[in-house]
Coordinates of all heavy atoms in Angstrom, one line a residue:
L8 N -4.5 15.6 11.4 CA -5.6 15.8 12.3 C -6.4 17.0 12.1 O -7.6 17.1 12.5 CB -5.0 15.8 13.8 CG -4.9 14.5 14.5 CD1 -4.4 14.7 15.9 CD2 -6.3 13.7 14.6
Y11 N -10.0 16.8 10.9 CA -11.1 16.5 11.8 C -11.7 17.8 12.5 O -12.8 17.7 13.1 CB -10.7 15.5 12.9 CG -10.6 14.1 12.3 CD1 -9.4 13.6 11.9 CD2 -11.8 13.3 12.2 CE1 -9.4 12.3 11.4 CE2 -11.7 12.1 11.6 CZ -10.5 11.6 11.2 OH -10.5 10.3 10.7
K12 N -11.1 18.9 12.3 CA -11.6 20.1 12.9 C -13.0 20.4 12.4 O -13.3 20.5 11.2 CB -10.7 21.3 12.6 CG -11.0 22.6 13.4 CD -9.8 23.6 13.2 CE -9.9 24.8 14.0 NZ -10.9 25.4 14.6
G13 N -14.0 20.5 13.3 CA -15.4 20.9 12.9 C -16.2 19.7 12.4 O -17.4 19.9 12.2
K14 N -15.6 18.5 12.2 CA -16.3 17.4 11.7 C -17.2 16.8 12.7 O -16.8 16.7 13.9 CB -15.3 16.3 11.2 CG -14.5 16.7 10.0 CD -15.2 16.4 8.7 CE -14.4 16.7 7.4 NZ -13.6 17.9 7.4
I16 N -18.7 13.8 14.5 CA -18.2 12.4 14.6 C -19.2 11.6 15.6 O -19.5 12.2 16.7 CB -16.8 12.3 15.2 CG1 -15.9 13.3 14.6 CG2 -16.3 10.9 15.2 CD1 -15.3 13.0 13.3
I18 N -19.1 8.2 17.9 CA -18.3 7.1 18.4 C -19.1 6.2 19.3 O -19.6 6.6 20.3 CB -17.1 7.6 19.2 CG1 -16.2 8.6 18.4 CG2 -16.2 6.4 19.7 CD1 -15.1 9.2 19.1
G26 N -12.0 4.0 23.2 CA -13.0 5.0 22.9 C -12.6 6.3 23.6 O -12.7 7.4 23.0
S27 N -12.1 6.2 24.8 CA -11.7 7.4 25.6 C -10.5 8.1 24.9 O -10.5 9.3 24.7 CB -11.4 7.1 27.0 OG -12.5 6.6 27.7
W28 N -9.6 7.3 24.5 CA -8.4 7.9 23.8 C -8.9 8.6 22.5 O -8.4 9.6 22.1 CB -7.4 6.8 23.5 CG -6.4 6.5 24.6 CD1 -6.6 5.5 25.5 CD2 -5.2 7.1 24.9 NE1 -5.5 5.4 26.4 CE2 -4.7 6.4 26.0 CE3 -4.5 8.2 24.4 CZ2 -3.4 6.8 26.6 CZ3 -3.3 8.5 24.9 CH2 -2.8 7.9 26.1
L29 N -9.8 7.9 21.8 CA -10.2 8.4 20.5 C -11.0 9.7 20.7 O -10.8 10.7 20.0 CB -11.2 7.4 19.8 CG -11.6 7.7 18.4 CD1 -10.4 7.9 17.5 CD2 -12.5 6.5 17.9
C30 N -11.9 9.8 21.8 CA -12.6 11.0 22.1 C -11.6 12.1 22.4 O -11.8 13.3 21.9 CB -13.5 10.8 23.3 SG -14.9 9.8 23.0
K31 N -10.6 11.8 23.2 CA -9.7 12.9 23.6 C -9.0 13.4 22.4 O -8.8 14.6 22.2 CB -8.7 12.2 24.6 CG -7.8 13.2 25.3 CD -8.5 13.9 26.4 CE -7.8 15.0 27.0 NZ -8.6 15.9 27.9
T32 N -8.5 12.5 21.5 CA -7.8 12.9 20.3 C -8.6 13.8 19.4 O -8.2 14.8 19.0 CB -7.3 11.7 19.5 OG1 -6.6 10.8 20.4 CG2 -6.4 12.0 18.4
L33 N -9.9 13.3 19.2 CA -10.7 14.1 18.3 C -11.2 15.4 18.9 O -11.3 16.4 18.2 CB -12.0 13.2 17.9 CG -11.6 12.1 16.9 CD1 -12.8 11.1 16.8 CD2 -11.3 12.8 15.5
S34 N -11.5 15.4 20.2 CA -11.9 16.7 20.7 C -10.7 17.7 20.7 O -10.9 18.9 20.5 CB -12.6 16.6 22.1 OG -11.9 15.8 22.9
M35 N -9.5 17.2 21.0 CA -8.3 18.1 20.9 C -8.1 18.6 19.4 O -7.6 19.7 19.2 CB -7.1 17.4 21.3 CG -7.0 17.3 22.8 SD -5.7 16.2 23.4 CE -4.2 17.1 23.0
A36 N -8.6 17.8 18.4 CA -8.5 18.2 17.0 C -9.6 19.2 16.6 O -9.6 19.6 15.5 CB -8.4 17.0 16.1
G37 N -10.5 19.4 17.6 CA -11.6 20.4 17.2 C -12.8 19.7 16.6 O -13.7 20.4 16.0
A38 N -12.9 18.4 16.7 CA -14.1 17.7 16.1 C -15.3 17.9 17.1 O -15.1 18.1 18.3 CB -13.8 16.2 15.9
V39 N -16.5 17.7 16.5 CA -17.7 17.7 17.3 C -18.2 16.3 17.6 O -18.7 15.6 16.6 CB -18.8 18.5 16.6 CG1 -20.1 18.6 17.4 CG2 -18.3 19.9 16.2
V40 N -17.9 15.8 18.8 CA -18.0 14.4 19.0 C -19.3 14.0 19.8 O -19.5 14.6 20.8 CB -16.8 13.8 19.8 CG1 -16.9 12.3 20.0 CG2 -15.5 14.2 19.0
T41 N -20.0 13.0 19.3 CA -21.1 12.4 20.1 C -20.7 11.0 20.4 O -20.3 10.3 19.5 CB -22.4 12.4 19.4 OG1 -22.8 13.7 19.1 CG2 -23.5 11.8 20.2
A57 N -9.9 11.0 32.8 CA -9.6 12.0 31.8 C -10.7 13.0 31.5 O -10.6 13.9 30.7 CB -9.2 11.4 30.5
Q58 N -11.8 12.9 32.3 CA -13.0 13.7 32.1 C -13.5 13.9 30.7 O -13.7 15.1 30.2 CB -12.6 15.1 32.8 CG -12.2 14.9 34.2 CD -12.2 16.2 35.0 OE1 -12.0 17.3 34.4 NE2 -12.4 16.1 36.3
I59 N -13.6 12.8 30.0 CA -13.9 12.8 28.6 C -15.3 13.4 28.4 O -15.6 14.2 27.5 CB -13.9 11.4 28.0 CG1 -12.5 10.8 28.2 CG2 -14.4 11.4 26.6 CD1 -11.4 11.4 27.5
G60 N -16.2 13.2 29.4 CA -17.6 13.6 29.2 C -17.7 15.2 29.2 O -18.7 15.7 28.7
K61 N -16.7 15.9 29.6 CA -16.8 17.3 29.6 C -16.5 17.9 28.2 O -16.9 19.1 27.9 CB -15.7 17.9 30.5 CG -16.1 17.7 32.0 CD -15.2 18.6 32.9 CE -15.8 18.4 34.3 NZ -14.8 18.7 35.3
T62 N -15.9 17.2 27.3 CA -15.5 17.7 26.0 C -16.4 17.2 24.8 O -16.2 17.6 23.7 CB -14.1 17.5 25.7 OG1 -13.8 16.1 25.8 CG2 -13.2 18.3 26.6
I63 N -17.2 16.2 25.1 CA -18.0 15.6 24.0 C -19.5 15.5 24.5 O -19.8 15.7 25.7 CB -17.5 14.2 23.6 CG1 -17.8 13.2 24.8 CG2 -16.1 14.2 23.2 CD1 -17.9 11.8 24.3
D64 N -20.4 15.2 23.6 CA -21.8 14.9 24.0 C -21.8 13.4 24.2 O -21.8 12.6 23.3 CB -22.7 15.3 22.8 CG -24.1 15.1 23.2 OD1 -24.4 14.9 24.3 OD2 -25.0 15.2 22.3
F89 N -17.3 5.9 14.1 CA -16.4 4.9 14.5 C -17.1 4.0 15.4 O -17.7 4.4 16.5 CB -15.2 5.5 15.4 CG -14.3 6.4 14.6 CD1 -14.5 7.8 14.5 CD2 -13.2 5.9 13.9 CE1 -13.7 8.6 13.8 CE2 -12.4 6.7 13.2 CZ -12.6 8.1 13.2
L241 N -8.0 6.7 12.5 CA -8.3 8.0 12.1 C -7.9 8.2 10.6 O -8.5 9.0 9.8 CB -7.5 9.0 13.0 CG -8.1 9.1 14.4 CD1 -7.0 9.7 15.3 CD2 -9.3 9.9 14.4

Side-chain angles (χ1 to χ4, degrees):
L8 269 181
Y11 284 97
K12 192 170 186 334
K14 293 275 184 315
I16 316 281
I18 302 175
S27 295
W28 277 94
L29 187 56
C30 287
K31 191 77 188 165
T32 308
L33 282 168
S34 47
M35 283 169 70
V39 181
V40 179
T41 301
Q58 304 193 332
I59 303 296
K61 288 195 173 155
T62 52
I63 67 155
D64 183 11
F89 294 94
L241 289 163

